[in-house]
Amino acid sequence: MDLLSYKDLKRKVWDTEKCCGCGACVGVCPTEALYFDEEPRHPKSNDYCKVTRDEVPCAACYYACPRADETCSDGFGTILSIYESKSKIRVSDAQSGGVVSSVLAAAFESNAIDGAIVMGVDKWSQAAQPAFVQTSDAVLGAAGSRYVWAPILKALREAIADRELHKIAIVGTPCVTSAVKRIRQSNVDVLSIYKNAIRVSLGLFCTEIFTDSLLEELRTGHGIKPWEISGFDVKGKFIVKLRDKAALELPLKDLRTSKRTGCEHCVDFTSEDADLSFGSVGASPGHTVVIVRTDVGEGFLKQAQRLGYIELSSGVDLASIAKIGAKKKGIPFETAMSLLKEPGYDAPSSSRKTE
Ligand SMILES: Cc1cc2nc3c(=O)[nH]c(=O)nc-3n(C[C@H](O)[C@H](O)[C@H](O)COP(=O)(O)OP(=O)(O)OC[C@H]3O[C@@H](n4cnc5c(N)ncnc54)[C@H](O)[C@@H]3O)c2cc1C
Ligand code: SF4
Ligand code: SF4
Ligand code: SF4
């Protein structure tokens, strides 16, 4: 009988500042015992836990949490192939090549999914908003990267437990894709509906995410109001895109106070646990790098290509990916480069710029 509960999460994850804020524990708890309030470092409990109150086995939160039993990440995960890609449809607010949104739109068109968990934004406050969408239009409306944190996987409850959908895609940063993998691999009863409903996991490259104190910092330190912001980007510097003015570029080191604490423990840059990983570094301007990691991922990507939603080409600059990946893992660049090129984890040579 598994009597692990949120108290074990508290001991191993919350109290050690390892919580990445993915929201998985909140989303899967059958008694809605867990929640986030203004304190973003970790969730809290209202103590309506089945285990601690009634000794009914559950442990869903524990086995959904990517930080509860962390294993050391070796290399950059499975890599079947690497492409540069660009959307062939209009994706208005695309962050890079609009490929994540296009793959999802194609998946809706071919009925491969009946819902997707993405991250929307309140354009007035710039607060990130975990969103569950069910149409291509809605998915295209949620394009772009949110650098202000929100617990995206809390949307699991609405998507799967409440609406009882069976074919869900989930977009997330590497920590989120690790939670998704853990749910897919778990044998816990309460997690089985989630496990069975997740069709595909789309991961983003990620170096860090910021708490909403970032918005306060921009307002007080730089006189920028949230509604003047049209988006963010990180390209060596932190870029604040503004609606009516030239973008503001800030050195990243000046924003450290706003970085989420759980990011300090993170060594995954490329979403190693996803079916498909997407990033901008290593791609030409207006394009997205796509790493194919599983057959499921390959199926979704090729379907988007077949339906004319995306184009795939060669020419990824692996050295740029290795450079950031090495820094995040604390390994030498040469090691990172050889891990990305290791035979068996190899991309087709035609898709390489740096052979
Ligand atoms: C916090 C963060 C940090 C990143 N850091 C890097 C980096 O250092 N280097 C790099 O190369 N790429 C980074 N990326 C990835 C990059 O910004 C793009 O998301 C990626 O290149 C895909 O672009 P696209 O145009 O194909 O995606 P789009 O078509 O614009 O779609 C993006 C999708 O991601 C969803 N989304 C946006 N923000 C989040 C979020 N916070 N959590 C979950 N889902 C989200 C959107 O709802 C949308 O569905 C980062 C992304 C995020 C969110
Ligand atoms: S009821 Fe289950 S998921 Fe919720 S807090 Fe307790 S052990 Fe965790
Ligand atoms: S890492 Fe995710 S699942 Fe684990 S405690 Fe934090 S929010 Fe919950
Ligand atoms: S740096 Fe790591 S912990 Fe932080 S948001 Fe990105 S993937 Fe999650």
Side-chain angles (χ1 to χ4, degrees):
M1 197 163 71
D2 203 336
L3 288 180
L4 285 169
S5 76
Y6 79 89
K7 290 203 168 167
D8 299 281
L9 262 196
K10 178 178 183 315
R11 180 175 51 81
K12 289 182 81 170
V13 182
W14 303 354
D15 294 348
T16 55
E17 304 272 357
K18 286 185 182 167
C19 172
C20 65
C22 67
C25 56
V26 176
V28 301
C29 176
T31 57
E32 302 190 22
L34 305 178
Y35 63 96
F36 272 100
D37 61 10
E38 306 80 52
E39 164 53 77
R41 280 179 304 167
H42 57 73
K44 289 184 176 156
S45 164
N46 59 23
D47 215 20
Y48 280 99
C49 169
K50 297 204 298 184
V51 182
T52 57
R53 282 173 78 98
D54 306 319
E55 294 198 4
V56 174
C58 176
C61 55
Y62 186 90
Y63 286 109
C65 176
R67 297 289 189 257
D69 297 308
E70 269 184 293
T71 48
C72 245
S73 137
D74 235 359
F76 289 94
T78 302
I79 299 176
L80 302 180
S81 49
I82 305 181
Y83 298 97
E84 178 165 284
S85 181
K86 189 176 179 348
S87 176
K88 290 174 78 178
I89 59 167
R90 186 173 151 74
V91 186
S92 304
D93 294 316
Q95 190 73 16
S96 310
V99 180
V100 176
S101 304
S102 302
V103 167
L104 289 172
F108 273 118
E109 180 175 324
S110 53
N111 285 322
I113 56 172
D114 53 13
I117 294 176
V118 296
M119 190 73 95
V121 65
D122 179 328
K123 292 194 171 152
W124 177 252
S125 67
Q126 283 299 315
Q129 294 180 327
F132 171 63
V133 294
Q134 284 188 265
T135 63
S136 298
D137 283 350
V139 100
L140 295 176
S145 292
R146 321 291 170 229
Y147 285 87
V148 174
W149 164 82
I152 188 166
L153 290 179
K154 75 175 190 185
L156 279 170
R157 177 176 298 116
E158 183 193 348
I160 298 171
D162 295 350
R163 300 211 194 180
E164 298 182 356
L165 296 179
H166 304 295
K167 300 184 289 185
I168 298 292
I170 300 175
V171 184
T173 48
C175 54
V176 170
T177 59
S178 297
V180 170
K181 181 178 179 186
R182 201 160 145 86
I183 292 169
R184 281 165 133 183
Q185 289 182 338
S186 106
N187 292 317
V188 173
D189 278 354
V190 178
L191 292 179
S192 62
I193 52 161
Y194 301 98
K195 175 179 171 168
N196 295 335
I198 298 169
R199 273 283 163 96
V200 66
S201 167
L202 307 184
L204 308 174
F205 291 7
C206 180
T207 46
E208 60 207 333
I209 205 161
F210 301 98
T211 63
D212 56 12
S213 65
L214 171 71
L215 299 169
E216 191 52 33
E217 199 177 320
L218 291 174
R219 185 200 275 268
T220 52
H222 302 277
I224 298 171
K225 299 172 190 76
W227 51 91
E228 295 175 320
I229 298 169
S230 63
F232 299 109
D233 208 348
V234 176
K235 285 202 163 47
K237 292 179 174 168
F238 188 73
I239 302 165
V240 186
K241 300 181 206 165
L242 299 169
R243 292 188 198 285
D244 302 317
K245 291 185 249 176
L248 176 73
E249 297 192 0
L250 300 167
L252 272 166
K253 64 177 168 44
D254 293 356
L255 292 169
R256 287 295 164 198
T257 51
S258 299
K259 185 173 166 176
R260 220 176 162 280
T261 44
C263 297
E264 305 290 348
H265 296 269
C266 184
V267 293
D268 182 359
F269 171 54
T270 60
S271 279
E272 294 160 19
D273 294 328
D275 293 306
L276 291 169
S277 303
F278 303 85
S280 61
V281 74
S284 316
H287 288 70
T288 304
V289 169
V290 187
I291 302 179
V292 180
R293 299 185 178 281
T294 65
D295 292 346
V296 169
E298 173 98 15
F300 274 82
L301 190 72
K302 290 296 168 68
Q303 178 72 344
Q305 184 192 32
R306 264 193 301 276
L307 292 176
Y309 280 68
I310 58 164
E311 59 188 36
L312 297 173
S313 56
S314 61
V316 172
D317 173 13
L318 284 188
S320 300
I321 300 173
K323 196 170 157 195
I324 301 176
K327 193 169 169 204
K328 205 167 175 192
K329 282 189 188 298
I331 59 174
F333 167 75
E334 293 72 22
T335 311
M337 205 54 202
S338 69
L339 285 166
L340 275 172
K341 285 182 161 185
E342 194 176 317
Y345 292 81
D346 213 5
S349 56
S350 62
S351 71
R352 294 286 180 76
K353 197 183 268 175
T354 51
E355 282 295 321

